[in-house]
Amino acid sequence: MKIFLSYLNDSKIHLKEFEVAEGSTVQDLLKHKKVRHLIKGLNHDYKIGVNGEILDGKFFPKPDKYRLQEGERVEFYRPLKVDPKENRKKRSC
């Protein structure tokens, strides 16, 4: 089945397409040779999500438990540089 991998590096958004077996987890994708190479090239810490939802084990399962479905987008999120609440407070003053 076809899934997509999205990540930001060097201020560019990259979208890669991968073929994975039915029933594959996000962790299975992360073990893929090309994905491991991409992760090594990231110059920041990251969190992993699927279709805009972080896989943190609270509301959505962790990557080793989340089963991918056809057409889903796995994403690497970088940490925020500025707290959005603080940024709004500064702009309102």
Side-chain angles (χ1 to χ4, degrees):
M1 80 182 154
K2 186 186 306 186
I3 61 100
F4 301 93
L5 178 72
S6 173
Y7 64 99
L8 180 69
N9 201 14
D10 301 326
S11 298
K12 290 183 184 177
I13 297 175
H14 300 274
L15 185 64
K16 304 286 183 182
E17 185 177 308
F18 288 91
E19 280 290 326
V20 297
E22 290 283 332
S24 293
T25 64
V26 173
Q27 190 67 37
D28 295 334
L29 175 67
L30 297 178
K31 292 177 183 175
H32 192 281
K33 183 180 178 181
K34 290 182 181 179
V35 176
R36 284 194 327 247
H37 181 71
L38 291 173
I39 291 171
K40 286 181 184 178
L42 294 177
N43 55 4
H44 55 78
D45 292 335
Y46 61 89
K47 291 186 179 184
I48 299 170
V50 175
N51 295 335
E53 301 292 341
I54 295 177
L55 301 180
D56 59 2
K58 294 177 184 174
F59 297 105
F60 286 87
K62 292 193 177 211
D64 61 334
K65 301 286 186 200
Y66 189 93
R67 300 251 177 234
L68 291 166
Q69 296 178 18
E70 177 78 29
E72 286 191 307
R73 186 181 66 248
V74 176
E75 303 159 331
F76 291 115
Y77 304 116
R78 67 164 73 210
L80 295 175
K81 294 181 181 179
V82 178
D83 181 9
K85 290 181 183 178
E86 292 298 320
N87 197 24
R88 283 193 297 272
K89 284 180 186 177
K90 289 178 184 177
R91 286 188 304 198
S92 67
C93 294

